[in-house]
Amino acid sequence: MRISHPAVVIVLCSLLGVVGVAAVAGAPPPEQLCGVCGPSTANDAEIAGATDRGTLDIYIDDTGDSQWRARVPVNASAAERYRTNATALEAAVDDAWARSHAADNDVRTVESSVAGDTVVVNYTVDDIAERGVGDAWIVDYFATGTSPARYELAADRVTLHAPEGTVVTNDPAYATVDGDTVTWTPEGNDFDDQTYVVYGSDGVRGTASGYATLGLEIGPTALAHGASGGFVPAVLIGLTGIAIGRTDLGRDAFDAATLERLIAAVGAVGAGGFLVVGAASTGAGLAPGAVALAALGVGYALLGSGARRLGGRLETRGLIGLSVLATVVAAGFAFAIAGPPVYPFPLLFGLATALCLPIGYAFERGRTPIGLIAVVALTPMSAIAVIAPVSVFGYGAAVYGLLLLPWVASVAAFGYPLALLGRLLAVGID
């Protein structure tokens, strides 16, 4: 019995829906970074009499152990009560601990005191940093791996202090780096649950050691997750590359000029449309995701327009260069509009789409572009490796790979016109 294409689409959508529902249902509440600050979205505990959520400073010593210092402002009457009654202070701090926080089960030696109108809670947490390459150290305590755990600041400020005489050598997400400190605030978005902080000596050598340490820490996991999660999408995209190079559907309906105008129009409309939607959805500025998709439209329009005008002189290698150039321009557009970070995920799939142009050209010339198809097939693996570790709330990288199926479909949908244009260019049809 032959299965219809709509049936396949329905099955895939249903599968993705089940995964999405299971992911939402299995999502745990966030863990707040400051154990006694609050309240948070998942926990309403706070020190009785608190007037603000407080701040948290984490001081790392030379052995990788740390002291956490929470400072929570309280009203004058509460401050006076705690200052004169140590039992009341201890009870208030005990009641304020969040049910789930970053240092849960690792807290040691809790000491509470009152300084002015502020309750100060000190506690120690061992082994939050470990030695890396050279004199570099890495804080991997906040990297949850494939665990579904996620963090919430639950404080007005969280600052990590590296040991005196060192500097932070990487740039953690959503944070501000100043010498030997890294600071997160609610205005800086959120706290990434895969946060790594690397510190060591200043200068080029220290920076190189830091990034080498970071690479050794995340590299093996990135490769493993890229291979396991991207395997099925890689096979599908590889088969797509072969199919679009051998399919004649629509070949007699278009000449190169018409197809070039159509591709350029689709890219231009997509770019403008995503920018409008991105601006309308946020009300202020542009949504980064919409900018990334708009950038792909810019690259698509550029590729379609440039291929016909230069394709007759470029041949396969030149068309590969043009595909890469269009992707670089798309990345530059995203950077110019929204600034860093430039999302690598859509750009990698954009490159896979762009390479359909030289794939179609090569097939028409009687060659099977195994190397190009292999590069396109590696796109899903590379995309997952870039953002690894990945999971769908603990279900693993393989299940995460199912979420890439719409990207595989987009490569096929937008790559086929480019492959057809490449084939028309190869035979000189105009």
Side-chain angles (χ1 to χ4, degrees):
M1 180 179 67
R2 184 178 181 182
I3 301 176
S4 65
H5 293 297
V8 174
V9 173
I10 291 173
V11 170
L12 291 177
C13 290
S14 300
L15 180 59
L16 291 175
V18 170
V19 171
V21 171
V24 172
E31 299 180 4
Q32 60 187 65
L33 290 182
C34 179
V36 294
C37 298
S40 71
T41 57
N43 177 70
D44 59 1
E46 61 181 333
I47 293 178
T51 58
D52 207 340
R53 298 201 303 173
T55 62
L56 174 66
D57 289 274
I58 303 172
Y59 297 89
I60 306 173
D61 64 21
D62 293 333
T63 64
D65 296 335
S66 63
Q67 181 182 74
W68 299 39
R69 180 174 299 163
R71 299 174 59 88
V72 181
V74 295
N75 58 48
S77 61
E80 181 61 25
R81 183 171 69 255
Y82 297 148
R83 188 178 295 109
T84 58
N85 189 335
T87 302
L89 173 60
E90 182 179 353
V93 172
D94 286 343
D95 291 342
W97 283 100
R99 291 186 296 272
S100 179
H101 60 93
D104 201 10
N105 299 321
D106 294 330
V107 172
R108 303 287 184 272
T109 319
V110 179
E111 297 179 350
S112 305
S113 61
V114 179
D117 289 340
T118 301
V119 171
V120 181
V121 182
N122 291 316
Y123 50 99
T124 60
V125 180
D126 296 338
D127 299 324
I128 74 166
E130 60 182 24
R131 185 177 291 279
V133 177
D135 62 356
W137 287 72
I138 183 169
V139 179
D140 57 359
Y141 190 78
F142 303 105
T144 61
T146 58
S147 166
R150 53 200 174 99
Y151 293 120
E152 180 185 9
L153 290 179
D156 288 333
R157 172 186 58 79
V158 174
T159 300
L160 181 72
H161 302 258
E164 187 177 353
T166 67
V167 295
V168 175
T169 56
N170 71 321
D171 188 18
Y174 311 129
T176 300
V177 176
D178 184 12
D180 61 354
T181 64
V182 186
T183 299
W184 293 266
T185 62
E187 293 76 18
N189 204 319
D190 210 342
F191 188 91
D192 190 355
D193 56 8
Q194 303 300 337
T195 291
Y196 292 94
V197 177
V198 185
Y199 61 87
S201 59
D202 200 0
V204 175
R205 183 175 180 179
T207 301
S209 297
Y211 278 101
T213 299
L214 192 59
L216 290 175
E217 178 70 25
I218 67 178
T221 300
L223 293 175
H225 284 206
S228 60
F231 178 75
V232 171
V235 171
L236 293 177
I237 285 190
L239 294 175
T240 297
I242 296 174
I244 64 176
R246 296 181 178 275
T247 303
D248 289 330
L249 181 64
R251 178 167 179 164
D252 296 333
F254 299 98
D255 57 19
T258 302
L259 193 56
E260 173 267 326
R261 287 192 292 269
L262 177 62
I263 292 172
V266 169
V269 170
F274 279 117
L275 288 178
V276 171
V277 170
S281 63
T282 60
L286 291 169
V291 172
L293 294 176
L296 295 183
V298 171
Y300 197 70
L302 173 65
L303 191 59
S305 180
R308 177 177 171 266
R309 289 167 171 75
L310 303 173
R313 301 191 298 270
L314 293 179
E315 297 190 348
T316 304
R317 291 183 180 180
L319 292 177
I320 293 173
L322 184 61
S323 301
V324 173
L325 176 62
T327 307
V328 171
V329 170
F333 175 85
F335 183 84
I337 297 298
V342 176
Y343 295 150
F345 202 90
L347 290 173
L348 284 169
F349 282 99
L351 176 62
T353 303
L355 289 176
C356 291
L357 176 67
I359 286 175
Y361 186 95
F363 267 113
E364 188 64 30
R365 288 298 179 93
R367 300 188 299 270
T368 301
I370 299 297
L372 280 176
I373 293 174
V375 170
V376 170
L378 287 174
T379 299
M381 296 184 178
S382 301
I384 291 179
V386 167
I387 62 173
V390 297
S391 69
V392 183
F393 292 104
Y395 287 101
V399 174
Y400 184 90
L402 295 177
L403 302 179
L404 301 186
L405 295 182
W407 283 102
V408 175
S410 71
V411 172
F414 293 97
Y416 181 70
L418 289 174
L420 186 59
L421 178 59
R423 296 184 67 178
L424 294 176
L425 292 172
V427 296
I429 297 177
D430 189 353

